[in-house]
Amino acid sequence: MRGARPVKGRYRDLRSAANAVLIAVMFAIPWIRIGGDPLLLLDVPARKFHVFGLVIFPQELIYLWALIAIMAVALFFFTATLGRVWCGWSCPQTVFTDVFAGLERRIQGWTGTSRPRKVAAWRVVATHAAWLSLSFLVAFHMVGYFVSPYAWIARIESNTLGAGVGFLGALTAITWADFVFVRQSFCRFLCPYARFQGVLFDRDTLVIGYDTERGEPRGKRSKTTGDCVDCGLCVQVCPASIDIRDGLQLDCITCTQCIDACNGVMTRIGREPGLIDYRALSSLEEGRPARLVRPRTVAYGTLLVASLALFVVLVGARIPVGFQVFHNRDALTTVLPDGRLGNSFEVRLENRGGEPRRYTLRLEGAPAGFELLGETATIDLAPEQSLRTHVFVVAPIDELHADGRELQFIIEPLDGAHSALTRGARFLSPADANDA
Ligand code: SF4
Ligand code: SF4
């Protein structure tokens, strides 16, 4: 539980403000509805993903993959330019570790950066109670991205929580253990992003660096000419247990704590702040300013713009209704009492929009004598409704020809909201059915 020594400073204030905004956004999103639809909900049981006004059905996972690809390319781009800005400023592991440590300090009565010599038992209990309450809130809102919080409330009201209680309880316990015991060890030993970020860095990437030329030789103020007084504060405040004076290290999550700590020291001893600061290896080791425009950032930036443009095109070309036709495998062919042959089909429809729709289903271009039976004149679909219905196509058995059995099913909105959609299927003879 004993984390890094806390620090005060400009970056600490900025990060606290950023934490407050990020937590407010993270907790608010599951509750927000637009036109009755969740803003962001990955509803796996209902097989619907609500993503900022777009409702994605399982047949349209290309949109979800496109969004994931955009986020991955954005991560590449920002890592190549700004280093581990995600880790230091917006990763939930960093944000909530900060908040948990802050709660501990407040409840246990720290003075500045000092832990009280003895902490009363009630304060320890109160700290864990506060941690568990916050862990529950975090767990509840994390689950809220998959199960709407309104659904949880409905379950509580109807007393049907069932296994949900155990699930939320387990997630609360994992969250509590993570932010109380694991903390930034997660970044060092478990996070995959930390492992591959090295390949995204180059000498112009913004990192947190120590100005060796200015700081060395380090030592007591009266005995050396370097600006570093070797107080060790930058190491004490580092959650990754790094001595940044040893050079850039992969474990650095750019949390800026060492910048604030060192700036405080420099101000106290009357020297210029910025001995540790945001800078690139190019400026630290070659004395030249970092370049933003370079092959790597141009490549990632172009890829990011292209993937965003592709996503916009995909959404623009999106078909507002899902329409599929399958043979009903339980009854491929049937001979009717009047001697005609019948094929049963399952028609699957999805209204992917927020408006109710009314459709008509018909057969087009079929040879003479083919007939579509079933509820096809008007098919009503509520917003986001998925529907499966069965229809029957009958044909005179004596006039079946191998080359005249291709069917075209047409679905058309009665209000003309979009153009008609066509799906093909083959009318099966008993011989085809035996082969199938
Ligand atoms: S070296 Fe500085 S920025 Fe990096 S993790 Fe440690 S304190 Fe944070
Ligand atoms: S906080 Fe600054 S002065 Fe103190 S040891 Fe670190 S770099 Fe040197």
Side-chain angles (χ1 to χ4, degrees):
M1 271 188 284
R2 191 170 283 264
R5 178 181 168 140
V7 66
K8 289 184 175 169
R10 185 165 64 103
Y11 283 110
R12 176 63 272 173
D13 293 344
L14 281 173
R15 284 181 57 236
S16 296
N19 286 354
V21 172
L22 288 166
I23 292 172
V25 169
M26 182 198 157
F27 281 8
I29 283 178
W31 297 94
I32 299 175
R33 290 171 166 267
I34 296 176
D37 270 345
L39 184 65
L40 188 62
L41 180 71
L42 305 178
D43 191 347
V44 178
R47 293 151 55 93
K48 273 189 228 167
F49 302 133
H50 299 262
V51 184
F52 301 112
L54 194 69
V55 185
I56 300 173
F57 288 82
Q59 289 78 12
E60 304 183 292
L61 285 183
I62 185 169
Y63 294 101
L64 209 56
W65 288 119
L67 282 171
I68 291 169
I70 289 169
M71 286 193 283
V73 177
L75 194 65
F76 289 2
F77 177 72
F78 287 113
T79 305
T81 49
L82 302 175
R84 292 181 73 175
V85 65
W86 160 261
C87 303
W89 290 82
S90 40
C91 174
Q93 188 70 25
T94 312
V95 169
F96 283 109
T97 296
D98 267 3
V99 176
F100 274 64
L103 269 178
E104 180 186 14
R105 287 196 295 274
R106 276 181 186 278
I107 298 172
Q108 299 192 357
W110 288 41
T111 18
T113 57
S114 313
R115 179 186 288 269
R117 242 190 258 159
K118 198 160 181 279
V119 179
W122 73 265
R123 286 185 188 266
V124 175
V125 172
T127 309
H128 281 279
W131 278 338
L132 277 170
S133 308
L134 182 57
S135 299
F136 171 76
L137 281 178
V138 174
F140 180 77
H141 286 90
M142 270 175 5
V143 173
Y145 285 80
F146 299 90
V147 180
S148 166
Y150 297 104
W152 283 108
I153 290 171
R155 283 187 205 173
I156 292 168
E157 283 172 353
S158 59
N159 206 13
T160 53
L161 261 178
V165 176
F167 181 70
L168 266 183
L171 205 58
T172 300
I174 292 168
T175 308
W176 169 81
D178 181 31
F179 293 123
V180 173
F181 300 108
V182 180
R183 296 195 169 176
Q184 259 110 3
S185 303
F186 182 93
C187 315
R188 294 185 74 185
F189 303 113
L190 295 171
C191 177
Y193 171 53
R195 304 277 76 82
F196 79 80
Q197 45 137 358
V199 296
L200 303 171
F201 275 37
D202 60 21
R203 300 187 66 74
D204 292 275
T205 300
L206 205 58
V207 291
I208 294 203
Y210 165 73
D211 187 344
T212 313
E213 206 169 298
R214 185 186 143 189
E216 302 297 321
R218 69 184 79 160
K220 286 216 181 309
R221 192 152 48 133
S222 52
K223 292 192 180 156
T224 184
T225 52
D227 272 355
C228 173
V229 293
D230 208 12
C231 62
L233 219 52
C234 51
V235 184
Q236 291 170 34
V237 299
C238 177
S241 307
I242 288 172
D243 187 342
I244 195 68
R245 296 171 299 170
D246 295 341
L248 175 64
Q249 287 150 76
L250 278 185
D251 286 341
C252 172
I253 56 168
T254 68
C255 69
T256 68
Q257 300 239 116
C258 53
I259 302 181
D260 278 336
C262 190
N263 281 348
V265 175
M266 292 297 117
T267 307
R268 279 196 293 282
I269 63 174
R271 291 182 184 164
E272 277 289 301
L275 180 56
I276 301 174
D277 212 340
Y278 272 111
R279 38 175 70 100
L281 284 181
S282 62
S283 55
L284 275 175
E285 295 175 2
E286 300 160 33
R288 65 166 174 83
R291 292 166 304 165
L292 178 63
V293 181
R294 49 194 202 274
R296 184 181 293 247
T297 52
V298 170
Y300 291 145
T302 310
L303 212 55
L304 183 57
V305 172
S307 48
L308 281 168
L310 182 67
F311 183 73
V312 171
V313 170
L314 277 175
V315 171
R318 186 173 187 241
I319 300 168
V321 61
F323 174 37
Q324 293 170 296
V325 178
F326 300 96
H327 281 284
N328 179 0
R329 301 200 69 81
D330 293 333
L332 285 175
T333 61
T334 313
V335 178
L336 273 61
D338 62 9
R340 288 188 296 173
L341 182 67
N343 275 195
S344 172
F345 293 91
E346 181 178 290
V347 176
R348 295 182 193 172
L349 291 162
E350 276 165 7
N351 181 359
R352 295 169 180 165
E355 301 290 321
R357 293 257 179 262
R358 176 166 283 183
Y359 291 95
T360 177
L361 178 71
R362 65 175 195 276
L363 212 53
E364 205 166 271
F370 279 67
E371 197 182 341
L372 177 65
L373 306 176
E375 298 293 324
T376 58
T378 54
I379 302 172
D380 286 312
L381 284 177
E384 296 165 25
Q385 185 191 356
S386 298
L387 180 86
R388 292 180 183 207
T389 184
H390 286 91
V391 297
F392 217 56
V393 177
V394 293
I397 200 160
D398 301 335
E399 292 176 29
L400 284 185
H401 304 291
D403 56 353
R405 288 191 272 134
E406 297 307 327
L407 307 175
Q408 296 292 320
F409 289 90
I410 312 271
I411 187 109
E412 196 164 10
L414 289 175
D415 61 0
H418 58 83
S419 51
L421 298 177
T422 304
R423 297 289 178 264
R426 185 171 168 77
F427 189 87
L428 299 178
S429 67
D432 296 328
N434 287 338
D435 293 344

